[in-house]
Amino acid sequence: MNISYEDAGVSIDNGNTFVEAIKPLVKETFNENVLGGIGSFSGAFAMPSGFKNPVMLAATDGVGTKLRLAIDSQKFDTIGEDLVAMCVNDLICNFATPLFFLDYYASAKLDVEVAKKVVAGITNGCKKANCALIGGETAEMPGMYHNNDFDLAGFSVGMAEKDEIDRRNFVKNGDILLALPSSGLHSNGYSLARKVLFEVQKLKFDDKIDGKNLIDILLEPTRIYVKDFLKLKPFINALAHITGGGLVENLPRVFPRGIGAIIRKHHLKTPEIFYQIGQSVEEAEMYRSFNMGVGLVMVVDPSNVGKVLENSDAYVIGEVVLNEGVVLE
C-alpha cells in the first residue's frame, strides 16, 4: 500500500489554492520598493532612499491567547491586524519606519477560508502601518496541532537613522508623558482576562459591557500607531509601547539611569473592560498585566506638548522625574 502526503494529513493542493487566493490581497500592500511577487523562495525589498546613516531593525511577535478567543468564537477577520500591530508598534519605539512584514501560519489542517480571513486582517494591518507583506509561510503539522487550532507569528523589518535608535539619550528630567489611547486590551494579558471573565465571573461571549458584546470588545484589534509616529516624530523624545508588563515595566525601558516617572492614575482614560476584570484582580496586578487604556506613551519636551496635542488624540498622564522606576499616583 502506497501512502501519500495527504494521507499523512498534509495537502499540497490546499496550500497552493491558498497562495493563489491571497495573491490579490497581498498585492494591495506592495509599494515601489517591493521586488517580484509572492511565490519565490524569499521576499525582496529595495533599500529605501532618504536615510543618511541607515540601520535596519527587526521585531517579531504573536498574538498570545487572544487567538484562542478568535478560534472559539470563529471570528477571524481582525486577529491578523493584531499580529502586524504587535511588531510595528515595537519598531517605532526605536524610531524605525516599518518597511515590510512576513507571517507564519501553522495549523493541524489548513482551512483555506479561515486562513484567507486571517491574511485579509494582516493585509489591513500592513496598509495601516504603511508596510508591505512580502512573504510568509503556511505549515500543516497534524502531529503538533489538533482539530481547528492554529498559531500565528509575525516578523517586521524597519529602518532608522543610527543616531536616533537609542531614545534614552533624548529623555530628560521635566519631560512630559503623553498617552495615545489603546483600543482595548490589545494583545496582552489574555490568559488572565480569559480566566477572570469566563471562569471566575462566568460571563458569556454575548454578555454586554458598555453596550457591546464582550467577545467584540476582547477581539477589538490592536491599534497601529505608525501613522501617528510619522506625523509626530519631530516632537517626540521617546516612545514606549505598553504591552506585557504594563506601564510600570515598559516605560523604564526608554529612561536613562537615574530617571523615572510619575503617572497620575486618575488621568488615564481606562475603558470599562479593565474595571470589569479588576473586580477580581488586585490593582497592582492590573497595572502589571494590562495597558489600562494606554497603548503608547510619548515622552515630550514641555515646549512640544501643544504641537502633539493639536495633531493627535494624545493626553497628558504624568512627567519624567529624577527617580528610578514608575510611581503611580
Side-chain angles (χ1 to χ4, degrees):
M1 177 182 173
N2 293 323
I3 298 175
S4 68
Y5 209 174
E6 188 146 7
D7 293 329
V10 179
S11 172
I12 295 173
D13 291 337
N14 258 8
N16 292 337
T17 300
F18 171 64
V19 171
E20 288 304 312
I22 64 171
K23 277 184 178 179
L25 293 172
V26 173
K27 197 169 183 180
E28 291 176 13
T29 72
F30 284 7
N31 56 39
E32 67 278 4
N33 292 314
V34 178
L35 307 177
I38 296 293
S40 189
F41 290 95
S42 57
F45 196 91
M47 293 282 281
S49 59
F51 289 85
K52 296 174 185 174
N53 197 3
V55 175
M56 302 196 81
L57 293 90
T60 182
D61 212 335
V63 296
T65 57
K66 188 171 188 174
L67 184 58
R68 178 78 268 154
L69 290 178
I71 294 170
D72 289 349
S73 63
Q74 292 290 289
K75 293 177 181 287
F76 302 107
D77 53 334
T78 57
I79 200 73
E81 204 168 312
D82 288 288
L83 188 67
V84 176
M86 295 307 291
C87 297
V88 298
N89 287 345
D90 277 353
L91 286 176
I92 61 175
C93 290
N94 290 110
F95 269 43
T97 300
L99 301 178
F100 56 83
F101 187 85
L102 298 95
D103 68 277
Y104 176 76
Y105 184 110
S107 64
K109 185 171 179 60
L110 180 65
D111 184 320
V112 174
E113 290 307 310
V114 168
K116 276 171 58 180
K117 289 176 182 176
V118 173
V119 171
I122 292 172
T123 59
N124 284 339
C126 284
K127 286 187 278 190
K128 289 182 179 182
N130 287 341
C131 69
L133 178 58
I134 65 167
E137 174 69 11
T138 305
E140 282 188 303
M141 297 189 289
M144 293 291 293
Y145 297 93
H146 302 285
N147 301 322
N148 296 321
D149 282 355
F150 63 93
D151 201 8
L152 294 172
F155 315 84
S156 191
V157 170
M159 187 167 284
E161 295 288 358
K162 187 175 182 179
D163 59 358
E164 292 184 347
I165 292 171
D166 189 350
R167 302 314 300 176
R168 294 174 299 179
N169 300 326
F170 299 87
V171 176
K172 62 189 183 306
N173 180 36
D175 282 348
I176 306 300
L177 301 175
L178 287 87
L180 282 171
S182 71
S183 56
L185 273 67
H186 281 183
S187 299
N188 294 101
Y190 274 80
S191 293
L192 176 57
R194 286 166 48 243
K195 185 173 185 65
V196 167
L197 295 169
F198 301 117
E199 293 182 29
V200 176
Q201 299 180 0
K202 307 293 186 185
L203 298 179
K204 306 297 182 189
F205 285 171
D206 57 358
D207 282 339
K208 296 284 195 293
I209 294 178
D210 251 4
K212 288 184 67 176
N213 286 345
L214 175 58
I215 190 62
D216 294 330
I217 294 171
L218 293 175
L219 289 181
E220 182 71 29
T222 304
R223 177 170 167 178
I224 292 173
Y225 297 98
V226 173
K227 290 178 182 176
D228 298 285
F229 160 71
L230 294 173
K231 181 167 59 174
L232 301 171
K233 181 181 176 183
F235 314 122
I236 302 170
N237 292 344
L239 284 170
H241 185 200
I242 309 306
T243 54
L247 287 160
V248 292
E249 292 188 12
N250 284 290
L251 257 181
R253 296 165 71 179
V254 301
F255 292 160
R257 181 168 295 187
I259 289 290
I262 293 174
I263 291 177
R264 291 173 177 82
K265 291 183 288 187
H266 64 281
H267 284 189
L268 303 186
K269 298 177 181 178
T270 304
E272 186 62 32
I273 183 64
F274 295 100
Y275 294 112
Q276 181 70 44
I277 297 168
Q279 292 177 19
S280 307
V281 179
E282 290 185 4
E283 184 181 76
E285 185 71 8
M286 290 294 297
Y287 277 89
R288 269 194 81 214
S289 304
F290 300 106
N291 64 55
M292 300 304 287
V294 177
L296 202 72
V297 174
M298 297 176 285
V299 183
V300 179
D301 186 277
S303 64
N304 286 326
V305 169
K307 297 183 182 72
V308 173
L309 294 177
E310 289 167 15
N311 290 283
S312 70
D313 58 347
Y315 61 96
V316 176
I317 61 169
E319 62 269 353
V320 175
V321 296
L322 292 172
N323 192 12
E324 292 283 350
V326 173
V327 176
L328 299 171
E329 287 189 346

